[in-house]
Amino acid sequence: MKKLILFCSRCVIFALLIMKTNAQSMQDNIVAPQAKIIAKNLKKHKETRVDNYFWLNDRENPEVIDYLNKENAYYENMTAQTKGLQGSLFEEMKSRIKEDDASVPYFYNGYFYITRFETGQDYPIYARKKGSLSANEEILFNCNEMAKGHAYFKLEGLSVSPDNKFASFGLDLVGRRIYTIQIKNLETGEILADKIENATGASVWANDNHTIFYVKQDEVTLRSDKVFRHKLNSDSKSDILVFNETDDTFNVSISKEKSRKYIVIGSGSTLTTEYRILNSDTPDGEFVVFQPRVRGLEYSFSHYEDSFYILTNKDKATNFKLMKTPENKTEKKNWVDVIPHREDVLLEDIEIFKNYLVVEERSNGLNHIRIMPWNEEPDYYLPFGSETYNAYTTTNIDFDTDILRYSYQSLATPSSVIDFNMKTKTKEILKEQQVLGGKFDKNNYVEERIWATARDGVKVPISMIYRKGLEKNGKNPLLLYAYGSYGITMDAYFSSTRLSLLDRGFVYAIAHIRGGEDLGRQWYEDGKLLKKKNTFTDFIDCSKFVINEKFTSPEHLYAEGGSAGGLLMGVIVNEAPELYNGVIAQVPFVDVITTMLDDSIPLTTGEYDEWGNPNNKKYYDYMLSYSPYDNVKAQKYPNMYISTGLHDSQVQYWEPAKWVAKLRSMKTDNNFLFLDTNMDAGHGGASGRFEALKDLAKEFSFLLDLEKIKS
């Protein structure tokens, strides 16, 4: 009997080897698409770059669409053996999500507002209840009904009039973040004839309940540049232009102060901001400049009683400070310090209440919430114990309250929404994210923060999580994620979908590299413009660190980044391909020079202060030295999964398409190279909550299949 069992086991192993060999043989017979070469000379600064795939920059060209479809077919055929795994991962991740979920209600202007999901539905339902949570529910928008017949759907900028009778909202049905603003009568359910095309989606109401202000985008560059005033039940063609931002490095926004007294036009670039204000009671009046723009001066403000509280970098306050000025004297010569600048503390944001000032700070890479009573009682901080957490204030619309609402989570702790009584110092957990399935226990995981030493001696923090019992033997698969641009901080956050990797032995880590603001404003300054390469070398050095510490090895190390983080992925595979078994690059920004020289592309001119202006040769040379597309070379590359969206307005689809085409023609290995283009979506991918899980299942199956091959 024992011999029979042994024989059968050998049969199974033999059968599996045959299946694996057959699958490999099928893959070997699938021919990768080869984009045709049409050389185009790109001249700048008396130099010539040759771009063989520039022709892909035309989504109206049938040959371009044909090429993208062939790449999609190649990806589908080459990963056919993972379809079952993708389906299992999708169902697994979906099963952890509470499908009939709802947000914690918040109270505003006489109503409790709630966003909820129903079982089996992809999109949210926006609802409210008048006066009490026991009142009848009034559905404002059922996005599941509105999304029918659309491959992509996004409702944005929901804004209710002060008398609660109307709601303005923006719809994007393509995924390019170009919205059409409409208005709904909440009493009758009627969608008014008012229709505003080519807008950002956001709008605010004046106190007359008859006027809204909104922002339109340039039709070519999609730069938000004009603010209009619209009257209810009128043709948008007759709307009044109230502000036109002529500097093409600035973008415009519209908002309303928490005090409801002022409507605010914001105009900002990477390094400079300027605001205009208008009393909400006089919508036909003229906006007044708060403080004229001064290059390098950044500021924002909150209105309280007869003063404005200003968050600013004035007086070389690199980490920002808080200042105050009288309501009728808003120029910077009148500003006085409230919280002075500190070298080791970044001042991130404030919330103003009738009796309290709440300050969000960051020090040593961790965020803190500080409570400061106006009556000069001692201030204090909310206590947080972990080193891999994320805490931030959430929906605090009510001005006259002692309750601060904030959110807390960590790599191992599901997100919670908490009401904190600033007077009694007591808290109530209103909701903790549920992880269904009965298998999740936070105590099964270890979360820690370690510090890697970069090549210039700087210490770079890495947040990581893994299952207990991990052996540091170099055999663990590790996914290292980073972004590292625009001063965006990548805080540690909980993800129920990530459990599908952790429970299969993966370590998940976030590298808090320079270019973000994780360790203060200087951390950002040291990772942009002519210091941008610090972002890339930090990530490579973090990769070497986790290898040297035996968390993983090059055979099991994977890297992931999206958008500007996709640029990071493009650089590391050029500079240190030997460190990674696989790389995921989502909507990657990889054709840096060509994009930044084309001022018709969205975001380009507004980002000269982030990347540099290549019309200046100094920046041209520096950007050219790291631009991933320009630096593809004949060498071995890791296995790569690259995703994009045909309608992406942030990073145009042709960047990853050209990159893949060039990689195919030059790489010297047989590793996987996949381009997966969503022909219906834009920068954010699929719009439905469950459709997005399918995209994630593709990424996870890519990683797990590579690990399976290694084993």
Side-chain angles (χ1 to χ4, degrees):
M1 184 70 175
K2 185 176 181 180
K3 290 182 179 179
L4 180 61
I5 293 172
L6 181 60
F7 175 75
C8 291
S9 299
R10 287 173 178 166
C11 287
V12 170
I13 293 170
F14 183 65
L16 288 172
L17 286 172
I18 291 175
M19 291 171 64
K20 185 174 181 179
T21 302
N22 287 341
Q24 183 63 52
S25 178
M26 289 175 63
Q27 288 181 337
D28 290 342
N29 291 327
I30 299 171
V31 179
Q34 295 293 329
K36 67 179 181 181
I37 293 175
I38 303 176
K40 182 177 179 64
N41 293 331
L42 302 173
K43 297 180 179 180
K44 190 70 179 178
H45 301 301
K46 299 180 181 180
E47 296 180 7
T48 300
R49 291 179 301 128
V50 179
D51 188 345
N52 289 329
Y53 306 102
F54 189 89
W55 66 273
L56 288 170
N57 180 352
D58 182 7
R59 65 167 55 85
E60 303 302 322
N61 183 347
E63 289 188 84
V64 172
I65 300 301
D66 180 62
Y67 170 71
L68 296 176
N69 284 330
K70 284 179 179 176
E71 283 285 1
N72 281 350
Y74 175 73
Y75 164 68
E76 292 294 329
N77 290 329
M78 289 292 289
T79 58
Q81 79 281 1
T82 71
K83 293 303 177 186
L85 175 59
Q86 288 183 38
S88 298
L89 287 166
F90 171 76
E91 294 298 335
E92 184 179 296
M93 292 186 287
K94 184 179 177 182
S95 71
R96 297 192 192 104
I97 297 173
K98 189 176 187 299
E99 292 196 40
D100 58 339
D101 203 5
S103 66
V104 176
Y106 67 88
F107 189 74
Y108 178 69
N109 199 24
Y111 284 83
F112 284 95
Y113 285 87
I114 305 160
T115 303
R116 62 180 179 83
F117 288 89
E118 292 185 343
T119 302
Q121 298 295 315
D122 261 323
Y123 296 97
I125 295 171
Y126 297 99
R128 67 180 182 179
K129 295 182 178 183
K130 187 174 183 178
S132 168
L133 288 173
S134 61
N136 292 331
E137 180 186 68
E138 176 188 346
I139 294 179
L140 305 178
F141 298 96
N142 184 339
C143 293
N144 300 289
E145 293 296 323
M146 299 171 71
K148 287 181 178 178
H150 300 290
Y152 182 92
F153 178 89
K154 180 73 172 178
L155 187 148
E156 193 69 68
L158 174 57
S159 179
V160 178
S161 61
D163 63 2
N164 294 309
K165 292 181 180 180
F166 297 95
S168 55
F169 61 99
L171 289 183
D172 176 9
L173 303 178
V174 176
R176 280 184 65 77
R177 301 184 181 180
I178 304 171
Y179 292 86
T180 298
I181 294 176
Q182 296 178 265
I183 298 171
K184 182 176 182 179
N185 185 322
L186 299 179
E187 294 182 335
T188 67
E190 172 194 9
I191 303 294
L192 304 187
D194 309 50
K195 187 173 283 191
I196 300 163
E197 307 282 358
N198 203 39
T200 63
S203 58
V204 298
W205 289 86
N207 290 344
D208 66 350
N209 303 297
H210 190 70
T211 306
I212 65 169
F213 292 87
Y214 64 89
V215 179
K216 294 201 76 167
Q217 304 176 94
D218 182 277
E219 293 185 5
V220 176
T221 67
L222 303 188
R223 182 175 70 91
S224 52
D225 61 348
K226 295 180 178 68
V227 179
F228 286 86
R229 181 173 63 230
H230 175 80
K231 298 295 184 180
L232 214 59
N233 295 310
S234 68
D235 190 330
S236 63
K237 293 179 181 178
S238 63
D239 290 352
I240 303 299
L241 176 68
V242 297
F243 177 65
N244 180 18
E245 177 54 75
T246 57
D247 187 330
D248 62 8
T249 67
F250 280 71
N251 285 277
V252 174
S253 63
I254 191 77
S255 62
K256 195 174 186 178
E257 279 296 288
K258 186 175 178 178
S259 68
R260 309 181 202 178
K261 185 173 181 179
Y262 292 100
I263 294 169
V264 181
I265 294 174
S267 194
S269 68
T270 304
L271 296 175
T272 309
T273 52
E274 180 182 68
Y275 291 91
R276 288 165 169 78
I277 58 176
L278 173 68
N279 191 300
S280 303
D281 292 330
T282 58
D284 294 328
E286 296 291 328
F287 280 85
V288 176
V289 176
F290 189 94
Q291 157 59 41
R293 67 188 65 179
V294 176
R295 181 166 173 77
L297 176 66
E298 298 176 66
Y299 69 93
S300 60
F301 54 79
S302 296
H303 175 247
Y304 173 60
E305 293 185 341
D306 59 355
S307 300
F308 286 102
Y309 285 79
I310 305 152
L311 198 62
T312 181
N313 66 346
K314 182 179 178 290
D315 305 322
K316 298 181 180 180
T318 304
N319 276 335
F320 288 74
K321 62 180 177 177
L322 187 65
M323 305 186 79
K324 178 182 178 181
T325 194
E327 191 174 15
N328 58 351
K329 296 180 180 180
T330 60
E331 291 193 358
K332 63 184 177 68
K333 64 183 180 182
N334 302 300
W335 302 358
V336 296
D337 281 5
V338 175
I339 300 177
H341 176 253
R342 290 161 290 174
E343 294 290 341
D344 58 344
V345 179
L346 174 66
L347 197 56
E348 291 190 316
D349 205 356
I350 63 171
E351 285 274 9
I352 287 184
F353 297 86
K354 181 179 180 180
N355 297 317
Y356 299 91
L357 171 65
V358 177
V359 182
E360 294 186 78
E361 303 176 347
R362 180 176 298 274
S363 60
N364 197 33
L366 300 174
N367 43 16
H368 306 278
I369 299 177
R370 181 182 182 186
I371 313 297
M372 304 178 67
W374 291 118
N375 64 6
E376 297 186 354
E377 289 181 4
D379 63 306
Y380 58 92
Y381 289 86
L382 299 184
F384 304 121
S386 171
E387 278 202 333
T388 63
Y389 72 87
N390 182 17
Y392 53 91
T393 64
T394 59
T395 310
N396 290 283
I397 296 177
D398 195 357
F399 173 75
D400 189 6
T401 179
D402 292 333
I403 304 299
L404 169 70
R405 181 165 293 179
Y406 72 95
S407 179
Y408 176 87
Q409 60 186 308
S410 75
L411 288 174
T413 306
S415 176
S416 297
V417 177
I418 301 165
D419 271 1
F420 179 78
N421 190 308
M422 295 179 282
K423 185 176 182 179
T424 64
K425 299 182 183 180
T426 57
K427 70 178 183 180
E428 178 186 4
I429 299 176
L430 302 177
K431 179 184 179 181
E432 182 173 277
Q433 176 186 350
Q434 289 183 258
V435 182
L436 302 184
K439 297 180 181 179
F440 172 72
D441 181 351
K442 62 180 291 185
N443 297 310
N444 291 333
Y445 304 90
V446 175
E447 51 184 341
E448 61 176 314
R449 187 169 64 152
I450 58 178
W451 296 79
T453 303
R455 60 196 65 186
D456 60 357
V458 170
K459 297 289 186 180
V460 181
I462 305 172
S463 299
M464 60 168 51
I465 182 171
Y466 49 85
R467 283 191 69 92
K468 282 184 176 177
L470 178 97
E471 293 184 30
K472 294 184 182 179
N473 56 14
K475 298 179 180 179
N476 306 297
L478 187 151
L479 178 58
L480 185 64
Y481 172 84
Y483 186 72
S485 291
Y486 302 108
I488 293 175
T489 298
M490 284 294 138
D491 286 308
Y493 66 97
F494 179 81
S495 168
S496 67
T497 58
R498 190 189 298 139
L499 299 174
S500 291
L501 289 181
L502 298 179
D503 292 345
R504 288 175 171 84
F506 265 76
V507 178
Y508 181 83
I510 302 171
H512 304 283
I513 55 181
R514 280 174 282 188
E517 220 167 50
D518 306 60
L519 268 69
R521 181 60 178 239
Q522 194 59 47
W523 200 249
Y524 168 45
E525 299 292 339
D526 288 342
K528 70 174 188 178
L529 295 174
L530 297 176
K531 296 181 179 180
K532 187 63 203 170
K533 289 184 181 180
N534 284 335
T535 300
F536 316 133
T537 55
D538 279 0
F539 190 89
I540 291 171
D541 292 342
C542 285
S543 300
K544 291 178 178 178
F545 181 80
V546 295
I547 291 170
N548 292 337
E549 292 296 309
K550 302 291 185 183
F551 281 103
T552 190
S553 62
E555 292 77 22
H556 300 284
L557 178 58
Y558 302 92
E560 177 186 18
S563 195
L567 163 67
L568 169 64
M569 296 300 103
V571 174
I572 66 165
V573 297
N574 282 337
E575 296 297 322
E578 73 282 356
L579 294 179
Y580 310 96
N581 186 37
V583 170
I584 295 173
Q586 304 145 330
V587 294
F589 170 44
V590 287
D591 191 11
V592 181
I593 294 291
T594 305
T595 291
M596 293 303 294
L597 282 171
D598 186 350
D599 58 14
S600 71
I601 295 175
L603 303 183
T604 294
T605 55
E607 300 200 347
Y608 288 155
D609 289 330
E610 178 71 26
W611 310 102
N613 184 348
N615 291 295
N616 179 320
K617 192 171 189 310
K618 176 176 65 173
Y619 289 106
Y620 176 92
D621 290 341
Y622 187 78
M623 295 161 74
L624 185 60
S625 71
Y626 68 74
S627 175
Y629 181 65
D630 293 287
N631 287 281
V632 172
K633 64 192 84 170
Q635 65 174 11
K636 292 181 178 180
Y637 281 87
N639 298 284
M640 298 173 67
Y641 173 79
I642 300 162
S643 60
T644 187
L646 181 63
H647 302 291
D648 196 330
S649 62
Q650 311 300 107
V651 178
Q652 307 293 330
Y653 75 88
W654 59 76
E655 292 202 35
K658 289 167 53 177
W659 185 39
V660 168
K662 191 171 183 179
L663 283 166
R664 283 209 194 288
S665 69
M666 298 192 71
K667 73 192 193 80
T668 60
D669 58 82
N670 293 317
N671 289 332
F672 297 132
L673 174 59
F674 300 138
L675 174 64
D676 184 14
T677 304
N678 187 325
M679 306 301 281
D680 296 314
H683 198 64
S687 57
R689 59 172 176 160
F690 298 133
E691 287 301 309
L693 292 181
K694 293 178 182 177
D695 291 342
L696 201 54
K698 288 181 177 182
E699 296 177 359
F700 285 7
S701 67
F702 171 74
L703 299 173
L704 294 168
D705 191 50
L706 290 177
E707 275 299 296
K708 181 180 177 182
I709 292 171
K710 279 292 180 184
S711 64

